[in-house]
Amino acid sequence: MDELSIADVLAEVAVLVKPHFGKGRPADYIPQLACVSPTKFGMAVRLVSGEEAAVGDADEGFSVQSITKVFSLGLALNRFGDEVWTRVGKEPSGTPFNHLSQLEAEDGVPRNPFINAGALAISDLLMDVFKDPPALVRGFAGFLAGEKVEIDEAVAASELAHAWQNRAIANLMRGKGTITHDPEAVVAAYCRQCALTMSCRQLARAMLPLAAGGFSPIVEETIFPERLSRRLNALLLTCGIYDSVGSFAYRVGLPAKSGVGGGIVAIVPGKAAIAVWSPELDRFGTSVVGTVALERFSQLTNCSVL
């Protein structure tokens, strides 16, 4: 991968994805996200060695949504350690990210921290010790990216106004004792966290510690112990793309996390962090063009971990 021109690879990827526009649809159940042009496309790569390249709309901010779950989980694991796993599991769900029946059948314990139930449990845990978890996540993401990032309050309000499924999930978990705070407060915190706005370039920089054994070349600090970095990558590989994680691993072969804003981040352990954005989603809530872009990138650079 290091021997190739990353800029040339991204330019080729941008051409290869063009036939795939129009095959999905934006997340219109969050009205603010439905307003984004479906033809947007950006991609950025940051190498551990320092090289960086980008193409398209890579410097335009977008709603990163569930990608923020990586930041909140990292914060929780750094603060609480293995206590996190008393609230959530580590297994793929095999169900949609906002599924209810599995959660009820399994006594209110989420399968993993990347489905909505798991992320709500992590928000609840952070609320035990932090007054404003969304602000904490925003600050952490900005610190890792090397520049300030913001929460889009209009997106947060739009999401909260339509968060009926998440309210049902939170209330179920409160009834089972998985979360301890008021369900409405937990859902509000989660919605504000998801409304974080970042660009592909910022995301690639922010995720670089997962490619560098927990060390951030951006801020020149160790963010996660190496052991934790490996475990986060394992969770991304097995749980990061919800109920299409197997198909994604087959096609791309990299640990990754998607968001319904159309973003995907992927990690090449030891080498690079990649971020791509295109708003049209497949039926699983993952960017259609973004998945194709990562598949082509993986093929062109032979960087799959599988």
Side-chain angles (χ1 to χ4, degrees):
M1 180 176 176
D2 304 56
E3 297 174 359
L4 300 172
S5 167
I6 301 302
D8 288 344
V9 171
L10 291 186
E12 185 169 352
V13 167
V15 173
L16 293 172
V17 300
K18 287 182 178 179
H20 297 274
F21 285 96
K23 295 184 178 181
R25 56 186 298 178
D28 52 8
Y29 62 91
I30 301 174
Q32 284 294 119
L33 298 187
C35 299
V36 180
S37 169
T39 61
K40 291 289 184 179
F41 172 75
M43 191 169 185
V45 178
R46 178 71 182 223
L47 300 183
V48 171
S49 61
E51 183 182 349
E52 186 173 274
V55 70
D57 303 304
D59 290 306
E60 182 173 336
F62 64 94
S63 187
V64 298
Q65 293 291 312
S66 285
I67 295 172
T68 61
K69 295 172 183 175
V70 183
F71 299 126
S72 60
L73 177 60
L75 285 163
L77 286 169
N78 265 349
R79 176 63 175 80
F80 299 101
D82 286 344
E83 182 185 342
V84 168
W85 308 123
T86 67
R87 302 282 192 102
V88 300
K90 313 180 192 72
E91 301 297 329
S93 67
T95 57
F97 56 82
N98 59 357
H99 205 55
L100 266 169
S101 60
Q102 183 183 68
L103 181 67
E104 184 173 18
E106 297 182 352
D107 207 30
V109 178
R111 275 286 180 99
N112 65 69
F114 294 142
I115 56 175
N116 286 14
L120 287 162
I122 296 299
S123 290
D124 179 76
L125 186 60
L126 292 174
M127 289 171 71
D128 285 348
V129 291
F130 299 107
K131 182 179 179 180
D132 189 352
L136 181 72
V137 171
R138 179 193 64 201
F140 186 48
F143 170 71
L144 294 178
E147 54 190 86
K148 188 177 181 180
V149 297
E150 297 293 346
I151 290 171
D152 187 324
E153 298 297 347
V155 171
S158 178
E159 193 160 351
L160 184 61
H162 296 84
W164 306 116
Q165 190 86 349
N166 284 334
R167 287 183 172 92
I169 291 170
N171 277 284
L172 192 158
M173 289 197 296
R174 182 67 182 89
K176 297 289 186 178
T178 307
I179 66 173
T180 60
H181 296 90
D182 174 56
E184 186 65 25
V186 175
V187 170
Y190 171 69
C191 289
R192 286 199 74 238
Q193 169 189 307
C194 286
L196 185 69
T197 295
M198 297 180 73
S199 68
C200 289
R201 195 185 299 270
Q202 289 171 331
L203 273 173
R205 292 172 178 175
M207 293 294 172
L208 200 57
L210 295 182
F215 179 79
S216 170
I218 303 296
V219 299
E220 298 183 336
E221 288 187 24
T222 296
I223 307 301
F224 306 117
E226 185 175 0
R227 174 171 166 267
L228 176 53
S229 178
R230 291 197 305 271
R231 290 183 167 183
L232 283 168
N233 280 328
L235 286 165
L236 289 171
L237 185 65
T238 58
C239 306
I241 313 290
Y242 307 125
D243 46 332
S244 64
V245 67
S247 174
F248 187 91
Y250 183 87
R251 293 175 60 184
V252 178
L254 294 172
K257 184 72 196 81
S258 60
V260 296
I264 310 175
V265 293
I267 305 299
V268 186
K271 294 189 176 181
I274 310 162
V276 61
W277 171 50
S278 183
E280 293 180 325
L281 310 179
D282 63 19
R283 63 190 179 94
F284 302 107
T286 301
S287 172
V288 172
V289 172
T291 300
V292 174
L294 288 167
E295 182 180 16
R296 298 293 181 260
F297 183 91
S298 177
Q299 292 169 347
L300 291 168
T301 59
N302 195 30
C303 68
S304 170
V305 301
L306 303 175

